[in-house]
Amino acid sequence: MEDSDSMICMQTIDENGQYHGAVATPIFQTSLFAQPDFETFTKVHQKERENFVYSRGVNPTVRALEIKLATLERAEECKCFASGMGAISATMLTLLQQGDHVLFLNTIYGPTRQLLDFLHRYGVSYDHSNPVKSDIERDIKPNTKVIYLESPSTNLMDVADLKAISTLAKQHNIVTVIDNTWSTPLFQKPLEFGIDLVLHSLTKYIGGHSDLIGGAVAGNRKTIDRIFEEGFLLTGSVLSPNDAFLVLRGLSTLPVRMKQHWENAKDVIAYLLHQPEVEHIFHPSQATGETKKIVQNQMKGFSGLLSFSIRDASFEDVRTFINAFTLFKIGVSWGGYESLVIAPIRENNAEKLRSENIPPGLIRLSIGLEGSALQINDLNKGFNALRNR
Ligand SMILES: *Cc1c(COP(=O)(O)O)cnc(C)c1O
């Protein structure tokens, strides 16, 4: 993590020096901005991207957040949205048209896949491929417009070689899009490896307090301006000034939170490595061989979202294990201060999971900020319950 990034996270954005030295960005809770005269109105109304006209377009509090996120991602521009899915939908709707094809790499966030299933009715198709050159080259079609990936992904934490993928995509004139939510811009800056667009769910680490929903996309000015005019303005997935303020507040402690999430997760991983029931730990810190080299080359640190598999676990085993917890809360989402647990197994889906290369005994932990002694103590309750079954 770079100190200059920490400074960006904490910096006050006051483009015109009008906030009286306020260290917290003011919340501009207004739907519209009145203009001083009719000539100005006719001018700014034509250029909503560059002016404060209406908060479905540009709002100063949201704008401050966009400037910070763009700087952190080393992007020319950023646009924020009401949710991560808002950002993903607007980006896809802008980039794709009838007859286009999308190639997914690594496991992809469920609703993102569902979006592409939905776009089938508009003539857009997709396939899954593996993030290796020969497979991608085999699966690229003449109409492939977008290569979309997650690295690390958020279930099995798979990693892809960003430089190799962006190089290959450029040769085929394909736009590359990454969901960078796992790493945050502090630990991975995909644009530096040639990826075109970076997406975030601000709901996770960047917000960090489980009290808001938000999303963002960052990239070159031309593409983000297009996303603004098309996918953003027309779907109206607007981040509220209030939520933008909360994200800015979250951002100011992001560096210290990320350090602590990893400190705690490191201890939890060391503990899990000693439990005989644990078959595998899914986290980029555990990568070996070629993958380890990729991780070292493109990541500057690790977050606290990890999975592990319990050997030969049935639904009842997983149920017993998770229900023994008192600290880890059972719930979706991740990246907040609180520790969370979730598992994909249901009473009758073990075969389906295996067919998707997901171990039925998979447990996903979002390691919060409580402290590793407490977290390990809770995991111990789970393993004891399992052993006493
Ligand atoms: C949560 C999540 C999203 C969606 O973000 P929302 O803010 O919930 O809409 C997208 N990608 C990943 C990897 C996520 O975990």
Side-chain angles (χ1 to χ4, degrees):
M1 197 186 303
E2 296 166 28
D3 280 353
S4 57
D5 277 351
S6 300
M7 280 311 297
I8 295 161
C9 287
M10 291 165 203
Q11 210 176 349
T12 314
I13 304 281
D14 180 359
E15 283 189 296
N16 302 316
Q18 290 172 340
Y19 304 165
H20 310 288
V23 294
T25 307
I27 305 172
F28 284 81
Q29 192 75 31
T30 181
S31 60
L32 73 115
F33 301 85
Q35 307 305 326
D37 50 53
F38 190 64
E39 306 87 270
T40 311
F41 169 76
T42 57
K43 256 185 235 147
V44 300
H45 192 242
Q46 278 177 5
K47 292 197 169 163
E48 269 210 77
R49 180 76 180 114
E50 292 153 36
N51 296 289
F52 300 126
V53 177
Y54 187 47
S55 284
R56 181 154 53 75
V58 188
N59 172 283
T61 315
V62 180
R63 189 67 199 137
L65 175 61
E66 290 167 354
I67 291 168
K68 282 200 191 208
L69 292 173
T71 315
L72 286 171
E73 283 292 6
R74 310 293 186 256
E76 283 178 5
E77 262 299 347
C78 169
K79 183 67 214 132
C80 284
F81 292 81
S83 66
M85 275 317 294
I88 294 166
S89 298
T91 301
M92 293 294 206
L93 289 174
T94 304
L95 295 178
L96 297 169
Q97 61 181 38
Q98 192 177 24
D100 286 347
H101 175 255
V102 174
L103 202 57
F104 281 142
L105 307 180
N106 285 343
T107 47
I108 299 293
Y109 182 66
T112 305
R113 269 182 291 137
Q114 286 165 25
L115 170 69
L116 265 290
D117 285 331
F118 173 80
L119 290 179
H120 181 73
R121 72 178 71 174
Y122 300 107
V124 174
S125 60
Y126 73 96
D127 284 298
H128 275 277
S129 190
N130 303 308
V132 290
K133 192 163 186 261
S134 53
D135 286 12
I136 298 172
E137 277 179 333
R138 183 197 59 210
D139 295 333
I140 286 177
K141 296 182 176 181
N143 58 341
T144 304
K145 269 287 169 56
V146 170
I147 290 181
Y148 184 103
L149 71 151
E150 297 185 12
S151 177
S153 66
T154 57
N155 212 1
L156 301 179
M157 323 300 150
D158 350 67
V159 167
D161 184 339
L162 304 186
K163 184 76 209 160
I165 288 161
S166 72
T167 306
L168 189 60
K170 280 186 176 63
Q171 288 163 3
H172 294 264
N173 255 328
I174 297 171
V175 179
T176 42
V177 184
I178 187 171
D179 182 331
N180 199 30
T181 307
W182 191 96
S183 298
T184 82
L186 298 183
F187 291 156
Q188 182 169 272
K189 299 186 194 302
L191 300 187
E192 292 186 339
F193 297 90
I195 299 290
D196 295 310
L197 292 171
V198 180
L199 289 159
H200 283 285
S201 167
L202 305 173
T203 315
K204 314 295 164 55
Y205 286 123
I206 293 180
H209 295 73
S210 305
D211 54 6
L212 66 94
I213 305 270
V217 58
N220 69 54
R221 179 162 290 114
K222 197 166 156 230
T223 311
I224 301 298
D225 284 354
R226 240 189 89 205
I227 293 172
F228 177 87
E229 295 292 342
E230 298 176 3
F232 172 72
L233 279 185
L234 301 179
T235 59
S237 175
V238 185
L239 184 66
S240 78
N242 229 310
D243 283 347
F245 172 84
L246 288 175
V247 181
L248 284 163
R249 180 185 163 122
L251 206 51
S252 55
T253 58
L254 182 67
V256 62
R257 283 188 288 109
M258 292 312 285
K259 264 185 214 159
Q260 196 59 45
H261 281 297
W262 171 230
E263 281 290 306
N264 296 347
K266 203 164 32 176
D267 293 344
V268 166
I269 289 171
Y271 164 83
L272 289 172
L273 283 168
H274 284 102
Q275 307 311 309
E277 294 86 351
V278 173
E279 188 170 43
H280 191 78
I281 297 172
F282 301 85
H283 190 271
S285 67
Q286 304 301 297
T288 56
E290 270 309 302
T291 313
K292 185 173 180 175
K293 277 190 214 149
I294 296 168
V295 167
Q296 286 169 341
N297 181 45
Q298 69 193 27
M299 299 183 71
K300 293 200 187 81
F302 301 120
S303 74
L305 184 73
L306 63 103
S307 293
F308 63 96
S309 52
I310 299 176
R311 196 173 280 113
D312 303 323
S314 64
F315 175 79
E316 280 303 316
D317 291 331
V318 171
R319 192 176 78 90
T320 303
F321 186 77
I322 288 180
N323 280 343
F325 291 164
T326 54
L327 177 90
F328 282 86
K329 291 180 165 61
I330 305 166
V332 297
S333 196
W334 49 278
Y337 58 86
E338 77 287 20
S339 288
L340 292 170
V341 60
I342 199 171
I345 197 161
R346 303 292 179 266
E347 265 167 291
N348 49 16
N349 71 346
E351 271 319 304
K352 182 167 179 287
L353 291 175
R354 270 192 216 100
S355 75
E356 295 167 0
N357 288 324
I358 298 170
L362 194 77
I363 309 278
R364 189 182 79 176
L365 302 178
S366 178
I367 301 298
L369 301 174
E370 301 92 344
S372 58
L374 293 173
Q375 289 151 347
I376 289 169
N377 184 46
D378 220 39
L379 286 162
N380 232 346
K381 287 182 194 161
F383 283 111
N384 284 336
L386 202 58
R387 284 161 199 160
N388 291 330
R389 242 185 71 118

